[in-house]
Amino acid sequence: MLHLYNTLTHKLEEFKPITDKKVGLYTCGPTVYHYAHIGNLRSYIFEDILKRVLQYNDYEVNHVMNITDVGHLTDDGDNGEDKMEKGSKREGKTAWEIAEFYTQAFQKNLKELNIESPTTWCKATDNIPEQIELVQTLIDKGFTYETSDGIYFDTTKFPAYGEMANLQNQELEAGSRVEIGEKKNSHDFALWKFSKPEEKRQMEWEAFGRMGFPGWHIECSAMSSKYLGQHFDIHCGGIDHIPVHHTNEIAQSEAAFGEHPWVNYWMHNEFIVLKNNEKMGKSNDNFTTLQKLKEQGIDPLAYRFFLLQTNYRKQLCFSFEALEAAQTGLENLRSKILKLKNESKKIDTTKLQEKFLEKINNDLDMPGSLALIFDALKNEEIDYETILQFDKVLGLDLDKVKEKKVEVSDDIQKLINERQKARENKNWSESDRLRDVIKALGYTLEDTAEGQKVDKI
Ligand code: AMP
Ligand code: ZN
């Protein structure tokens, strides 16, 4: 039985799909105005593990991920500049070029981290009519009001507003301090924004009698319902989405679709933080990208391995030293796997497979699963086949682990060839002597069925 922590109910729950053996999964994608940082990538690795665990349990997963290429403002609320326009000014390119460039960079990151592609990618700018239609439904149902800068959702018309984030208690306090301008209540949010008359936006559309653009939240409700229907199983993102983005998505979707609950399970990953407990953020200028890690000799899969060592619901402090240790750990795992592959021994792992399933089905317990695997390796209770089966969830590409080809100088190669001849002539004392000479020069030799295997000491 699969149990997942549901942010909506604040409980670990047994997962029950709406349709037998099928899962509709929506994961909020990146805002493509800059490179994704490794904190963002934690979200996508967590979601990939979730998807792989569902597939391991024989569910067919219909996974939709959006690309936010318009409407996400710099303050995550209804003020500030559109992040895409900001990226455009920063780089002297059009907002469309920025979106295309960073979408490709993001998809390259996913490949490098061995994250499976979603079933459907969807861009906010490709789904403008769907968003306009949803706003119109909310207008028709009486959930909105207009100000001079946009069409807003009136949160007082939706009594369950903020339940997932426990916002009710903060409402009065926040309302008394926050500058709300023309908004009626502090939590009301923009569904559609009007372009400012003095400003020519690059991305704008005609709707509701003038030029404008969608608010950030409406895209996810419009696109998830388009591809997954008006009631689906799981919706994910980072924890920062709980109080604003996801809370607003729930309000507008349940108001429009009349379905309660709109989504059955909400799942959120904790942050990557830095040593001073500061959140890694694109706008904080304190971020590291996968590309930067690669330039420092880190294998992207070592970052994946680093994340698997901590539960997705725990904050994780990033340091380069910790990541280097993870890379050594992954190398170590790979060499153990090569050994298993060469031995080609078969072991009855029925019990181990049951334990593994128990771990992954306990809210994606990856640290527990890894501990199980390392113990089994130590006690020689696992074979190559089983580890590859477990890797369907871990996604560490363990089936692609290859012998490292060690480069040697011509002189050393000559000695290795001489030793080969000595062995063919069964001259064991000469063979041992040459092995010592080669060792003194910094290389070990292992005699395998395929011949001598060289390694650097
Ligand atoms: P964005 O591109 O800003 O919309 O963010 C993409 C995803 O990354 C969202 O699910 C965020 O919640 C998540 N996220 C942002 N910062 C961090 C962080 N420091 N650690 C983990 N996840 C993060
Ligand atoms: Zn979203």
Side-chain angles (χ1 to χ4, degrees):
M1 252 188 299
L2 173 60
H3 286 87
L4 300 172
Y5 184 82
N6 190 352
T7 313
L8 195 62
T9 56
H10 315 287
K11 278 197 309 234
L12 197 65
E13 287 181 7
E14 184 189 336
F15 176 68
K16 292 190 183 135
I18 297 168
T19 312
D20 195 30
K21 285 293 157 199
K22 285 195 186 334
V23 179
L25 169 68
Y26 187 87
T27 57
C28 287
T31 308
V32 285
Y33 74 112
H34 216 317
Y35 290 110
H37 57 67
I38 58 167
N40 299 134
L41 294 173
R42 184 181 196 193
S43 291
Y44 307 110
I45 290 180
F46 140 64
E47 290 153 0
D48 187 54
I49 294 289
L50 167 66
K51 182 170 158 185
R52 286 165 178 268
V53 166
L54 288 163
Q55 288 167 344
Y56 199 86
N57 281 276
D58 293 329
Y59 288 107
E60 189 187 311
V61 183
N62 186 3
H63 176 200
V64 177
M65 186 172 338
N66 67 304
I67 297 282
T68 300
D69 56 356
V70 69
H72 191 170
L73 305 187
T74 43
D75 73 345
D76 268 9
D78 303 310
N79 296 312
E81 199 181 353
D82 189 314
K83 291 186 180 191
M84 298 310 302
E85 303 271 343
K86 189 179 169 188
S88 160
K89 280 188 202 142
R90 187 186 64 229
E91 298 188 22
K93 294 184 191 159
T94 69
W96 299 96
E97 284 165 347
I98 292 287
E100 183 56 30
F101 178 83
Y102 288 111
T103 299
Q104 284 192 17
F106 174 70
Q107 290 173 336
K108 181 168 170 251
N109 280 172
L110 297 197
K111 268 213 182 89
E112 289 167 326
L113 290 165
N114 202 22
I115 292 174
E116 290 183 3
S117 270
T119 323
T120 304
W121 285 108
C122 46
K123 286 185 193 168
T125 54
D126 284 343
N127 291 275
I128 297 295
E130 288 81 351
Q131 295 172 70
I132 294 172
E133 197 185 314
L134 189 52
V135 176
Q136 189 59 53
T137 305
L138 290 165
I139 295 172
D140 296 344
K141 289 194 168 186
F143 283 98
T144 65
Y145 60 90
E146 202 171 303
T147 71
S148 62
D149 79 348
I151 299 170
Y152 282 79
F153 186 93
D154 185 343
T155 51
T156 57
K157 300 254 170 82
F158 185 74
Y161 185 81
E163 268 178 8
M164 179 168 76
N166 280 329
L167 287 183
Q168 293 87 343
N169 304 336
Q170 298 162 30
E171 175 82 358
L172 276 175
E173 203 197 330
S176 60
R177 280 190 282 116
V178 173
E179 180 51 64
I180 62 172
E182 289 177 61
K183 287 204 286 188
K184 291 185 184 167
N185 315 288
S186 65
H187 289 304
D188 293 356
F189 56 93
L191 296 164
W192 189 265
K193 294 272 287 188
F194 302 133
S195 303
K196 289 188 185 129
E198 71 279 10
E199 205 178 64
K200 178 80 193 101
R201 284 181 56 90
Q202 299 176 51
M203 293 172 154
E204 57 180 357
W205 295 265
E206 197 174 343
F208 312 108
R210 47 192 134 157
M211 296 309 282
F213 58 99
W216 171 34
H217 321 297
I218 200 77
E219 64 170 279
C220 289
S221 295
M223 293 191 279
S224 61
S225 61
K226 175 174 173 179
Y227 294 105
L228 298 171
Q230 295 187 351
H231 182 202
F232 61 93
D233 298 291
I234 312 178
H235 192 134
C236 301
I239 47 154
D240 53 336
H241 283 348
I242 301 171
V244 182
H245 185 50
H246 287 168
T247 287
N248 293 346
E249 277 188 47
I250 292 175
Q252 68 199 7
S253 302
E254 293 185 358
F257 308 145
E259 185 84 52
H260 193 91
W262 165 50
V263 170
N264 287 356
Y265 301 86
W266 286 84
M267 295 180 69
H268 297 93
N269 65 282
E270 250 292 356
F271 282 147
I272 290 285
V273 295
L274 299 167
K275 272 191 188 134
N276 48 9
N277 250 350
E278 193 186 359
K279 178 198 164 212
M280 185 177 283
K282 277 187 230 182
S283 16
N284 297 352
D285 266 349
N286 62 2
F287 65 85
T288 303
T289 60
L290 200 61
Q291 181 59 31
K292 281 195 210 152
L293 293 185
K294 275 167 55 190
E295 284 160 15
Q296 291 176 79
I298 298 291
D299 174 349
L301 290 178
Y303 182 59
R304 186 177 175 108
F305 185 65
F306 170 69
L307 294 184
L308 297 189
Q309 292 167 9
T310 303
N311 186 276
Y312 74 92
R313 288 204 293 126
K314 285 213 176 109
Q315 210 171 69
L316 177 55
C317 181
F318 172 78
S319 73
F320 195 71
E321 297 72 42
L323 187 55
E324 273 186 321
Q327 173 135 310
T328 309
L330 179 60
E331 283 302 335
N332 187 352
L333 177 64
R334 284 173 174 158
S335 63
K336 288 191 166 116
I337 284 163
L338 268 184
K339 206 161 156 261
L340 283 188
K341 187 178 177 183
N342 291 336
E343 282 171 8
S344 53
K345 200 159 63 178
K346 284 235 37 98
I347 296 178
D348 177 6
T349 55
T350 319
K351 278 256 145 54
L352 185 65
Q353 290 184 43
E354 278 167 16
K355 282 191 198 157
F356 181 76
L357 190 64
E358 234 170 71
K359 293 276 179 212
I360 62 172
N361 281 357
N362 178 21
D363 200 26
L364 325 177
D365 179 5
M366 288 302 117
S369 311
L370 284 179
L372 192 74
I373 294 173
F374 275 103
D375 262 2
L377 280 166
K378 197 168 96 203
N379 302 329
E380 301 188 6
E381 288 165 355
I382 190 165
D383 55 14
Y384 185 62
E385 298 278 295
T386 312
I387 207 141
L388 292 197
Q389 187 187 320
F390 293 173
D391 195 44
K392 287 192 178 136
V393 174
L394 307 177
L396 292 170
D397 252 352
L398 297 177
D399 58 332
K400 300 211 177 84
V401 177
K402 276 202 218 88
E403 303 276 359
K404 265 193 279 158
K405 193 124 182 66
V406 178
E407 298 287 334
V408 291
S409 68
D410 289 349
D411 288 348
I412 306 246
Q413 190 57 52
K414 233 161 123 186
L415 291 169
I416 294 171
N417 295 348
E418 268 179 45
R419 182 168 179 269
Q420 183 60 28
K421 265 199 204 119
R423 290 179 61 74
E424 281 161 16
N425 296 334
K426 297 198 170 27
N427 186 347
W428 307 123
S429 59
E430 177 64 357
S431 158
D432 287 351
R433 188 189 70 78
L434 284 165
R435 183 209 291 271
D436 291 344
V437 173
I438 292 166
K439 191 169 177 191
L441 293 169
Y443 295 89
T444 58
L445 289 178
E446 192 190 337
D447 297 312
T448 71
E450 286 89 42
Q452 301 181 84
K453 220 182 88 197
V454 198
D455 217 345
K456 219 169 158 49
I457 294 175

